[in-house]
Amino acid sequence: MTQTKHKERTRAQESTNAIERLYISMRHLFSRGFYKPMGISGETLRKSLLLLRPEIYGSIAEDRIELNGLTYVIERLPDGIEECQFINLTSDEGYGNSHFKVIIPSKRRRNCYRIDKNQMNIEITRGRSEIYDILTHLTFLFIESHKIKERVLLNSDESTTREWEHLQEVVLEHKSLTEEEREITIAHLGNILGRTYEEVIAAYNSFSSEENPDRFLQIIYWLGKLAINETCHQKKRTVTFSSVLSDSIGHHIYGEIWANNIKNILKENGLLERPIHIISANMHSVLNSIYAPNALPEEAKRHSGFELFQLLSDEGNEQMHKKIKEYASKNGLVYIKDTSGTNINVQIIDTDKIDFDNISFQRKNTNDGGPVIIVMDYAFGEQAYETMDELLKPYKENGTKTHLNVDSISIMGKAGILEGGKGDIMIPSSHIFEGTADNYPFKNELLKEDLEGFGVQSFDGAMVTVLGTSLQNRDLLKFFHDSTWNVIGLEMEGAHYQKAIQSASRIRGNISENVKVRYAYYASDNPLETGATLASGGLGMTGVVPTYAITQKILEQIF
């Protein structure tokens, strides 16, 4: 009998396995109700993350501290979380009506509350993807904190290095540092972190603000301090999930409130039975494309094409934004600020009230009234299914159902690209849901050729919908790109949106089977390219052309 030859697993297979273990572990810990990230209960998460070594977390598996990944994570977690031993993940449980001050991370729309010096509560209203996002970020943060501890703790009796004692004095005494004292502290910090003086200066500056110039010093100190407390005093950091959160997750509670509010406003404005076009996008590109030329006639004359939109993308032009919003509100736009907890704001545009004389779009004559455009802000991961599923359900009133006349659904967003660079455009032909055999082919009304001629590259092929952008590594992405899957990019919502659209149109009969779908993404990063991951920073002005190119093509097809 011939002996079966043992075939070693590739890094891509190991990475796939690590992602599956992470996914299963996080769901298990959520069902359990609590866990200690650096204890036995968090061991699988830690080991899987270290095996996976996601690109966004850089040198997580090395002894030196990962600074770009730390910046990325801290921007997505509430200020002060590094000081807290207890982190509670809750549903919307009324903290907004208390004396607790709401803390909103700079790069994630989520409400957080500092209960006391040791406890931070984080509200979860956007589904499981938000839990996965937070847990992976916390795992990274705590791994880094123990790396700091290993570099400063000399023995178990809490003797520490000279550099650590200097940092402790600066942070605890809230010293106002002179330029010379700051440079001395940063030099000491370089030894603590295993990084060069230049790297530490760059990180220090990225965290610095007028209100708190020494934020970076505080973050490093408290991360190390809590890790020392865990080792020397058994004060383990603990993550807890509230029972209300456990009961509410997966039941579309926030999505249903959000969708019903939109339908009620459509009804109030006599728009419920008009042709409807849904666009998932940001809150400015559709607004500016339709209204800016009329609201700012002088600026529109001086700045042709996308130059006007580049002008509007400058944060200093707040007065122009105000003018556009005021003009739009008088010419068919209703803005719905979210109060449901989904954190998804909405614009409803009655195109019968648009002045088409000075804009580049021409509307066809329609017998049943002009189209109504619903622009919804970006969903987050699995939340895309919840919100789209609820929005496509019929409007119910006094026992009667009114089916929405949805003509098209367009999804525009940012994604990681596997071929090309920041600002390039991806036109998907299908979505593959990572870690499962689920795949969603569809006819995309947008073509690669539609987005050519704007000065950016465009690509078409399959897109992979991932559990979290922070979980991707080079080996796995290279496999998706080089194999017959022919994947051109990765994002977090596509498969979830398409699952909701297919079930509503082909199974449940909530909307027409002939609904048109459009998907287009512009590249925020290239995770296969060193220095071009999400941790390297935002798009800036690079994002203006692809954003407005995609918006223009979507609106041309709608009108």
Side-chain angles (χ1 to χ4, degrees):
M1 184 176 174
T2 57
Q3 192 174 356
T4 306
K5 188 178 178 182
H6 177 68
K7 189 179 178 184
E8 286 193 12
R9 293 192 306 169
T10 64
R11 272 289 296 151
Q13 289 170 324
E14 286 179 349
S15 301
T16 301
N17 190 248
I19 287 175
E20 286 173 1
R21 283 209 306 274
L22 276 162
Y23 182 54
I24 292 164
S25 299
M26 288 189 284
R27 293 195 76 148
H28 164 70
L29 295 170
F30 175 59
S31 300
R32 184 180 185 226
F34 75 97
Y35 80 106
K36 293 175 180 175
M38 300 310 290
I40 293 170
S41 50
E43 189 174 13
T44 305
L45 277 189
R46 297 196 308 275
K47 282 184 174 177
S48 299
L49 206 60
L50 288 167
L51 174 64
L52 188 60
R53 298 196 296 276
E55 295 306 304
I56 216 159
Y57 294 149
S59 57
I60 185 173
E62 299 175 20
D63 290 338
R64 58 186 185 152
I65 310 305
E66 167 55 35
L67 295 180
N68 284 338
L70 184 65
T71 305
Y72 180 85
V73 165
I74 289 291
E75 286 176 340
R76 285 154 179 80
L77 293 173
D79 278 0
I81 196 163
E82 68 280 356
E83 301 175 25
C84 296
Q85 183 185 346
F86 304 101
I87 296 162
N88 287 4
L89 272 55
T90 72
S91 182
D92 180 357
E93 298 175 21
Y95 290 105
N97 302 320
S98 67
H99 74 278
F100 298 116
K101 183 185 173 186
V102 64
I103 306 168
I104 300 173
S106 60
K107 296 290 177 72
R108 280 283 185 267
R109 291 168 296 178
R110 54 173 68 113
N111 295 337
C112 310
Y113 302 92
R114 184 77 177 265
I115 303 304
D116 56 38
K117 70 184 182 74
N118 291 320
Q119 182 179 328
M120 182 72 76
N121 281 17
I122 302 175
E123 267 184 15
I124 305 293
T125 57
R126 307 178 77 179
R128 289 192 186 94
S129 294
E130 191 167 20
I131 295 173
Y132 307 149
D133 186 59
I134 290 167
L135 294 191
T136 49
H137 288 340
L138 288 176
T139 304
F140 164 81
L141 204 62
F142 297 158
I143 288 171
E144 294 300 302
S145 76
H146 273 253
K147 280 155 69 172
I148 296 169
K149 181 262 298 179
E150 289 297 328
R151 297 183 70 92
V152 302
L153 191 64
L154 297 175
N155 49 51
S156 57
D157 68 358
E158 222 174 329
S159 299
T160 53
T161 62
R162 180 175 78 88
E163 291 91 347
W164 182 255
E165 287 168 8
H166 177 89
L167 179 64
Q168 181 169 269
E169 185 184 340
V170 167
V171 171
L172 295 186
E173 293 184 13
H174 305 288
K175 274 190 166 184
S176 182
L177 300 174
T178 64
E179 192 61 37
E180 186 183 347
E181 287 172 331
R182 184 171 288 112
E183 288 181 359
I184 291 168
T185 304
I186 288 170
H188 287 321
L189 206 54
N191 289 335
I192 291 171
L193 303 179
R195 290 287 183 173
T196 66
Y197 179 80
E198 191 176 34
E199 288 172 322
V200 179
I201 277 280
Y204 177 90
N205 290 335
S206 72
F207 282 102
S208 186
S209 65
E210 278 186 34
E211 309 82 52
N212 191 358
D214 297 324
R215 170 112 171 92
F216 183 58
L217 307 182
Q218 294 154 14
I219 288 168
I220 297 301
Y221 172 73
W222 286 109
L223 284 177
K225 177 63 177 169
L226 264 63
I228 290 169
N229 286 347
E230 284 191 311
T231 302
C232 298
H233 306 294
Q234 298 305 305
K235 292 184 176 179
K236 299 288 185 188
R237 282 171 285 198
T238 306
V239 176
T240 307
F241 307 93
S242 77
S243 55
V244 178
L245 176 64
S246 301
D247 292 340
S248 65
I249 209 81
H251 294 301
H252 292 202
I253 290 168
Y254 302 104
E256 185 178 10
I257 297 167
W258 173 83
N260 287 342
N261 190 30
I262 295 168
K263 291 168 200 169
N264 288 332
I265 290 171
L266 288 171
K267 174 77 173 175
E268 287 167 16
N269 288 274
L271 306 174
L272 195 62
E273 295 181 19
R274 294 257 291 275
I276 289 171
H277 299 264
I278 298 166
I279 304 176
S280 170
N282 53 62
M283 286 283 97
H284 60 263
S285 60
V286 175
L287 171 76
N288 291 341
S289 297
I290 292 175
Y291 292 109
N294 286 320
L296 305 168
E298 294 304 314
E299 288 83 356
K301 281 179 193 172
R302 291 198 302 271
H303 300 86
S304 59
F306 289 173
E307 287 178 11
L308 178 61
F309 305 132
Q310 285 175 327
L311 182 71
L312 291 169
S313 297
D314 190 329
E315 290 180 5
N317 291 324
E318 197 51 47
Q319 281 303 113
M320 289 186 190
H321 293 292
K322 194 176 175 188
K323 268 189 187 177
I324 296 168
K325 287 172 185 173
E326 286 173 356
Y327 176 86
S329 65
K330 294 172 186 171
N331 291 271
L333 184 137
V334 177
Y335 178 68
I336 308 173
K337 184 163 178 61
D338 179 63
T339 54
S340 68
T342 61
N343 283 308
I344 299 177
N345 298 322
V346 170
Q347 297 160 343
I348 295 175
I349 300 171
D350 179 356
T351 64
D352 277 352
K353 296 180 179 178
I354 295 171
D355 179 0
F356 282 87
D357 290 342
N358 298 318
I359 61 177
S360 59
F361 308 107
Q362 295 302 315
R363 197 187 75 185
K364 289 181 182 176
N365 292 324
T366 49
N367 299 323
D368 51 354
V372 173
I373 299 173
I374 298 174
V375 184
M376 56 183 282
D377 208 345
Y378 297 124
F380 188 76
E382 286 185 24
Q383 187 192 33
Y385 175 77
E386 174 180 339
T387 49
M388 189 61 73
D389 183 58
E390 292 297 331
L391 185 56
L392 299 181
K393 286 179 180 176
Y395 173 75
K396 293 180 185 176
E397 187 181 38
N398 301 325
T400 61
K401 286 183 184 178
T402 305
H403 288 264
L404 301 185
N405 181 12
V406 178
D407 270 8
S408 77
I409 300 168
S410 304
I411 312 297
M412 177 180 87
K414 290 184 286 190
I417 197 167
L418 303 183
E419 187 178 340
K422 285 189 177 187
D424 289 340
I425 292 172
M426 291 156 277
I427 306 294
S429 54
S430 60
H431 288 292
I432 302 155
F433 189 26
E434 181 187 52
T436 71
D438 300 352
N439 52 83
Y440 301 88
F442 51 83
K443 181 182 181 294
N444 195 339
E445 296 294 319
L446 290 171
L447 302 173
K448 175 184 170 182
E449 295 74 36
D450 295 333
L451 278 304
E452 289 175 348
F454 290 100
V456 293
Q457 293 187 87
S458 57
F459 302 87
D460 58 3
M463 297 280 287
V464 62
T465 298
V466 299
L467 287 175
T469 50
S470 58
L471 291 182
Q472 301 315 301
N473 78 349
R474 190 183 302 264
D475 303 291
L476 186 57
L477 296 176
K478 202 163 175 9
F479 163 75
F480 272 127
H481 180 257
D482 296 346
S483 69
T484 52
W485 283 110
N486 185 32
V487 168
I488 55 169
L490 63 145
E491 46 72 58
M492 283 183 64
E493 291 79 32
H496 303 298
Y497 275 130
Q498 191 58 25
K499 182 166 66 170
I501 294 164
Q502 284 183 193
S503 64
S505 60
R506 298 187 182 185
I507 300 172
R508 304 170 78 177
N510 288 339
I511 59 172
S512 166
E513 268 192 47
N514 300 319
V515 64
K516 295 180 175 70
V517 294
R518 304 179 189 92
Y519 288 89
Y521 301 92
Y522 55 96
S524 56
D525 63 299
N526 184 335
L528 290 181
E529 196 177 298
T530 303
T533 67
L534 281 171
S536 66
L539 275 165
M541 284 293 179
T542 311
V544 174
V545 170
T547 300
Y548 283 93
I550 295 168
T551 304
Q552 182 176 306
K553 289 300 171 184
I554 289 171
L555 291 174
E556 277 177 11
Q557 290 193 8
I558 288 173
F559 290 130

